[in-house]
Amino acid sequence: MTDDIRSPAELRAMFGANLRQLARRYRSISALCRQLGVNRTQFNRYLSGESVPRPDVLDRICRFFDVDARILLKPLDEIESTEYHPATSALTQFLGSGSDTMDQSAFSPGFYVVIESLSAEHRMTLLHAKPLAQCTLIRGYVSRAAMPEATPQAREIQGIAACSGKTVYMLTSQRQGQNSRVYLISPDPTGTAVQWRGSVISPTNAATSEPVVLKYLGHDSTAIFAAARLSTNNLAQHP
């Protein structure tokens, strides 16, 4: 028997403190509860440390906030500070950047719809962003309509994004460098649903850049599924 065993009350308090920290990223607790599919009264009990969610609800919360079940066991700051990815140290060494130079709030975690204007048509992709200390990891999939015979593995997109001031540089690619793209985007000044606007270059046509916009969906499941259906059918409306 160890001497550092924590009581159920201490674990509930730990989870409540972590959940309050995560919830502060959202303006409305009511809207957050709707997106999570959790009753507001029950959510308040989690926040106050009166109870912890059952496993399926905990899984939903972890997926929504892009964290793991360690939020039951240790402070959120410790969990996030110990996360490691090779890209973090690589960017630190190459750019000479510390954690202070990467403003994570500038490129929020969650899902984005990326709409590229390819002359007479539009390419629409759904991507997920996961901020780390010095960079943001990007992941998504090319639509089935664009690659009907390909496996999900072949359609997978991965990438990395980093900030320089208010500008985000983003590189994405399929496996083996296929269909890679370089994005240069900045916050959209118009205040519309478009959060980022800029240009994208493909190595297959490096001489010409195309306009691109990113719409932030966050973790709104309704908007995410709607965007996924549109991207699957290769449909997009010019913003």
Side-chain angles (χ1 to χ4, degrees):
M1 186 73 67
T2 61
D3 296 330
D4 60 350
I5 292 177
R6 287 170 289 180
S7 68
E10 290 174 316
L11 294 176
R12 291 195 300 269
M14 177 71 68
F15 178 75
N18 286 337
L19 190 60
R20 289 194 298 274
Q21 187 172 339
L22 291 168
R24 280 199 293 269
R25 303 173 184 176
Y26 298 83
R27 294 182 179 179
S28 169
I29 295 295
S30 296
L32 177 58
C33 289
R34 287 194 296 271
Q35 292 184 49
L36 283 169
V38 176
N39 178 273
R40 171 66 185 271
T41 300
Q42 186 60 48
F43 192 78
N44 286 338
R45 295 186 67 203
Y46 300 154
L47 292 174
S48 64
E50 294 179 38
S51 68
V52 294
R54 62 179 189 263
D56 61 314
V57 177
L58 176 62
D59 177 69
R60 196 186 314 158
I61 291 172
C62 288
R63 288 175 181 271
F64 181 89
F65 288 112
D66 200 15
V67 295
D68 59 49
R70 287 180 296 169
I71 58 175
L72 287 168
L73 304 174
K74 57 170 45 177
L76 187 65
D77 291 340
E78 292 184 16
I79 297 173
E80 295 184 338
S81 64
T82 58
E83 183 174 18
Y84 172 80
H85 189 279
T88 300
S89 59
L91 276 182
T92 300
Q93 294 174 13
F94 184 76
L95 300 176
S97 62
S99 58
D100 292 341
T101 64
M102 177 61 184
D103 184 1
Q104 292 189 10
S105 64
F107 207 60
S108 302
F111 286 89
Y112 290 80
V113 169
V114 182
I115 303 175
E116 302 173 29
S117 177
L118 303 177
S119 300
E121 60 181 16
H122 304 304
R123 167 190 163 111
M124 183 173 180
T125 311
L126 187 64
L127 298 178
H128 181 267
K130 180 180 180 180
L132 299 180
Q134 280 86 13
C135 64
T136 295
L137 299 183
I138 305 296
R139 190 182 183 196
Y141 290 87
V142 176
S143 70
R144 291 189 182 92
M147 300 179 66
E149 304 298 326
T151 64
Q153 184 181 44
R155 293 190 292 106
E156 184 180 13
I157 299 170
Q158 291 197 24
I160 192 170
C163 291
S164 177
K166 293 185 177 181
T167 301
V168 168
Y169 302 85
M170 187 167 71
L171 170 65
T172 66
S173 175
Q174 292 169 244
R175 293 180 184 274
Q176 306 301 319
Q178 296 295 313
N179 296 323
S180 57
R181 280 172 164 71
V182 178
Y183 300 83
L184 179 61
I185 54 177
S186 300
D188 182 63
T190 62
T192 64
V194 174
Q195 272 71 39
W196 300 88
R197 190 179 294 273
S199 59
V200 56
I201 297 175
S202 171
T204 58
N205 189 19
T208 304
S209 64
E210 296 281 354
V212 63
V213 298
L214 276 71
K215 296 183 178 181
Y216 181 58
L217 305 180
H219 297 86
D220 185 340
S221 57
T222 301
I224 292 168
F225 289 135
R229 286 193 294 271
L230 287 175
S231 62
T232 298
N233 291 288
N234 260 6
L235 299 175
Q237 294 181 346
H238 196 277

